[in-house]
Amino acid sequence: KTGKSFLVLQMALAVASGSPFLGFRTTKGPVLYCALEDSRSRLSKRISLLADDERDVLENLYLLNEMRGLDGEGLPVLSEWMSLHKPRLVVVDTWGKAKPSGDSRKNAYERDVEIVSEVKRLADRHECSVLLVHHEKKGGSRENDWLESLSGSMGLTATVDGILSLKRGRGENRGVLRRSGRDFEEDSDLALTWKEPGWECLGDASEVFLSEERRRILQTVRDAGEPVS
């Protein structure tokens, strides 16, 4: 419940309308948003809250609440749709709802690599970004590397081109968007703030949080009546 679905819906709406996403430029084009854990009415309500101009967005936005698993049957169906509509972005929210079981003779890592590689080949073939929305392990990860917090095996992180991870404490309005990928020009963490509804980017997380800490220290010193240089 960190707000992942709102974040990726904002991304979908931005690409569909050609407007910036978190301050970053997008290329306008068709978007397929597969909201596999949300009802049509809930999705419509969120779009009306987030979209500045629904008519402009809906010209390029295609919505699904159900889809076939992305296996030998579902992938050809999706590929045919992509050939017809030439999307810039396909969002599968969530990956767990569309992920096939894979070959039971292989271990979890091998199955994830095999399954996700098929999706990646589909994206590359159609020159389209495919975003798989996934959960993290309950309680996060005990490892220092935040990539270890992703649910399932490391086969997923080893196969995809890029990973975004949204972190937000329970009841907090601030979040951190972590980035890692082969094609990212920058991969520093981004500080986000919840603006009811939706997310807004405040900039580089280290700079934002450092500035806030400085302000807190200065305010504490002022409250104590100490001179500030």
Side-chain angles (χ1 to χ4, degrees), residues 72-207:
E73 293 184 2
L75 281 171
V77 173
L78 179 57
S79 181
E80 183 177 352
W81 186 92
M82 293 169 74
S83 296
L84 179 63
H85 295 279
K86 303 287 191 292
R88 297 289 306 173
L89 173 66
V90 173
V91 179
V92 180
D93 187 6
T94 62
W95 171 231
K97 291 287 186 179
K99 177 183 175 181
S101 57
D103 190 340
S104 60
R105 294 169 296 181
K106 298 180 179 180
N107 61 40
Y109 181 93
E110 293 171 329
R111 287 199 301 270
D112 282 347
V113 169
E114 181 179 55
I115 292 168
V116 178
S117 292
E118 289 297 325
V119 178
K120 186 180 181 307
R121 277 192 283 270
L122 182 71
D124 292 341
R125 186 162 65 249
H126 293 279
E127 298 181 337
C128 168
S129 295
V130 177
L131 177 64
L132 307 177
V133 182
H134 198 38
H135 298 295
E136 294 189 332
K137 297 172 185 175
K138 289 188 177 181
S141 171
R142 297 177 182 176
E143 306 292 336
N144 291 328
D145 188 350
W146 62 268
L147 295 176
E148 295 281 354
S149 65
L150 208 61
S151 180
S153 79
M154 290 297 290
L156 179 60
T157 57
T159 309
V160 297
D161 285 329
I163 298 174
L164 301 172
S165 175
L166 178 62
K167 294 280 189 180
R168 178 173 70 159
R170 186 180 297 275
E172 295 182 3
N173 289 328
R174 290 290 178 87
V176 176
L177 186 65
R178 291 170 168 167
R179 305 179 284 174
S180 179
R182 302 181 182 95
D183 299 322
F184 286 128
E185 294 180 2
E186 296 182 18
D187 61 1
S188 59
D189 296 346
L190 297 175
L192 306 184
T193 185
W194 179 255
K195 285 295 187 181
E196 195 62 45
W199 291 98
E200 181 178 302
C201 183
L202 300 176
D204 184 283
S206 60
E207 295 179 3

Side-chain angles (χ1 to χ4, degrees), residues 47-92:
I47 291 173
S48 65
L49 290 171
L50 292 171
D52 294 327
D53 186 344
E54 285 189 61
R55 290 172 299 179
D56 184 40
V57 167
L58 294 178
E59 287 180 0
N60 276 326
L61 185 64
Y62 299 84
L63 304 173
L64 285 179
N65 294 107
E66 296 180 0
M67 71 181 302
R68 295 185 182 184
L70 296 181
D71 53 17
E73 293 184 2
L75 281 171
V77 173
L78 179 57
S79 181
E80 183 177 352
W81 186 92
M82 293 169 74
S83 296
L84 179 63
H85 295 279
K86 303 287 191 292
R88 297 289 306 173
L89 173 66
V90 173
V91 179
V92 180

